[in-house]
Amino acid sequence: MLFLHFIGFFPSPFGFLYVILHPEMKTINTIKELQTVLSGARADGKTIGLVPTMGALHAGHASLVRRSVAENDITVVSIFLNPTQFNDPRDLERYPRTMESDCALLTECGAQIAFAPSVAEMYPEPDNRRFSYPPTDAVMEGAMRPGHFNGVCQIVSKLFSIVEPDRAYFGEKDFQQIAVIRCMVADLGFKLEIVPCPVIREADGLAMSSRNTLLAPNERAIAPLIYAALFSSLDFAHMHSVAQTREYVEARINGVQGLHVEYFSIVDANTLAEVEDWTDAADIVGCITVYCGQKPIRLIDHIHY
Ligand code: PAF
């Protein structure tokens, strides 16, 4: 009954009473209020799902929220643009902010709570904690964006401590992020289930990302070539070595004016250690980051071989 509104009306000329059960999403800005609401729900035996986001929500986020709504009694979606995970201030500055449409999407998906705290609420004091999980957080994104995963661990651990969810949902698009968060969960002993959710793609194959809205039309037109190159490398890999496959993907993407590969690493999906041979691991994944356009916008994607 927590957030249910009952609206009764008599539609003329029939005179029947219609009672519409309308679940309403609540927006909460403080940790104290959130914890008060959640402790009541927990005392009633309700399960809690958490979907951490930085806002600018799209269909990829919607799929996480819908999954959480299906698997938990209460779904909390955090909307917090976490400054400590941005190593480039320009990236933080231009990150899209779309609070109104975010709330509309969450209501549509059936989330019960949007938790949208201020920076002062989440960081009343600087967070000096340091997280280090080599090699998982040291390679690929960890090497290119120093401090990024430390910031992710700071905010995600805070959210886990505040919300105490039974399950937390993360998109597999950020493949390495999930691996790092798993290390942090094991390290700090959080009792919750991490639920990885599949990448959601646009019709042309581009992985959905909040950053896609920053692409100019000509950049948006070439961005799908990233996944096209990854996808075609699946066939190529059958008859070629790991090194040749890496070269193939890099050459295809770098051959497009406006795209530039920052790294393409073919790694063991569990350890994130680079592989040299297709027999080196049971689950092998190719992780890529590409700069697109003039600004440029940094796009990430991956494929399982
Ligand atoms: O994946 C993201 O959007 C962010 O890294 C996360 C997990 C919400 C932490 O700020």
Side-chain angles (χ1 to χ4, degrees):
M1 296 292 281
L2 200 52
F3 304 119
L4 301 182
H5 271 200
F6 292 88
I7 306 162
F9 66 97
F10 295 88
S12 169
F14 306 107
F16 297 123
L17 172 63
Y18 285 78
V19 176
I20 298 169
L21 200 60
H22 174 60
E24 188 179 277
M25 192 189 64
K26 192 173 169 62
T27 302
I28 295 179
N29 305 111
T30 66
I31 296 170
K32 194 162 175 245
E33 187 187 351
L34 180 65
Q35 288 185 319
T36 305
V37 170
L38 292 180
S39 61
R42 219 173 280 109
D44 287 346
K46 308 261 189 239
T47 55
I48 298 167
L50 171 67
V51 184
T53 82
M54 297 202 297
L57 305 183
H58 48 70
H61 294 109
S63 73
L64 309 189
V65 177
R66 289 205 169 92
R67 174 117 182 238
S68 173
V69 168
E71 294 178 353
N72 302 279
D73 298 313
I74 302 226
T75 289
V76 179
V77 181
S78 60
I79 299 179
F80 181 68
L81 194 46
N82 174 37
T84 72
Q85 71 187 75
F86 285 83
N87 58 323
D88 177 355
R90 281 171 313 165
D91 194 19
L92 173 60
E93 205 174 293
R94 69 181 173 213
Y95 202 88
R97 291 152 170 90
T98 56
M99 190 62 186
E100 215 170 296
S101 57
D102 290 352
C103 287
L105 183 71
L106 296 183
T107 304
E108 198 187 308
C109 293
Q112 283 80 9
I113 299 173
F115 176 50
S118 65
V119 172
E121 181 73 6
M122 293 308 282
Y123 295 105
E125 284 154 24
D127 189 340
N128 295 320
R129 291 175 302 157
R130 290 291 166 264
F131 299 83
S132 177
Y133 305 114
T136 312
D137 66 346
V139 297
M140 300 191 294
E141 290 299 280
M144 298 301 161
R145 302 178 67 190
H148 167 65
F149 285 126
N150 196 64
V152 169
C153 288
Q154 286 176 341
I155 193 61
V156 173
S157 61
K158 274 177 188 272
L159 289 168
F160 285 176
S161 299
I162 294 165
V163 176
E164 295 182 57
D166 297 279
R167 300 180 189 87
Y169 297 78
F170 295 91
E172 275 180 340
K173 185 180 86 66
D174 297 302
F175 184 78
Q176 189 178 7
Q177 172 170 274
I178 297 183
V180 173
I181 289 171
R182 282 191 195 284
C183 293
M184 188 268 290
V185 164
D187 179 26
L188 301 187
F190 285 110
K191 301 271 176 290
L192 53 85
E193 185 191 346
I194 299 290
V195 185
C197 302
V199 181
I200 304 295
R201 299 186 178 279
E202 302 284 358
D204 57 15
L206 177 64
M208 288 200 183
S209 161
S210 304
R211 287 187 171 84
N212 292 354
T213 59
L214 302 173
L215 296 168
N218 60 324
E219 296 164 349
R220 176 64 188 80
I222 55 174
L225 298 172
I226 301 167
Y227 185 62
L230 291 178
F231 191 72
S232 68
S233 75
L234 287 179
D235 260 353
F236 185 91
H238 280 133
M239 304 221 273
H240 297 85
S241 69
V242 168
Q244 286 168 327
T245 304
R246 201 167 31 234
E247 278 164 27
Y248 167 81
V249 168
E250 289 183 359
R252 268 200 65 166
I253 295 176
N254 287 336
V256 178
Q257 200 183 351
L259 296 182
H260 178 71
V261 176
E262 183 180 44
Y263 67 81
F264 177 50
S265 301
I266 301 182
V267 300
D268 179 328
N270 293 309
T271 63
L272 304 190
E274 296 242 9
V275 297
E276 279 167 19
D277 193 272
W278 296 117
T279 57
D280 282 353
D283 187 5
I284 292 180
V285 63
C287 297
I288 197 160
T289 294
V290 177
Y291 285 110
C292 181
Q294 287 294 315
K295 290 186 264 305
I297 303 301
R298 211 168 165 272
L299 299 173
I300 70 174
D301 206 342
H302 68 274
I303 197 149
H304 284 268
Y305 288 101

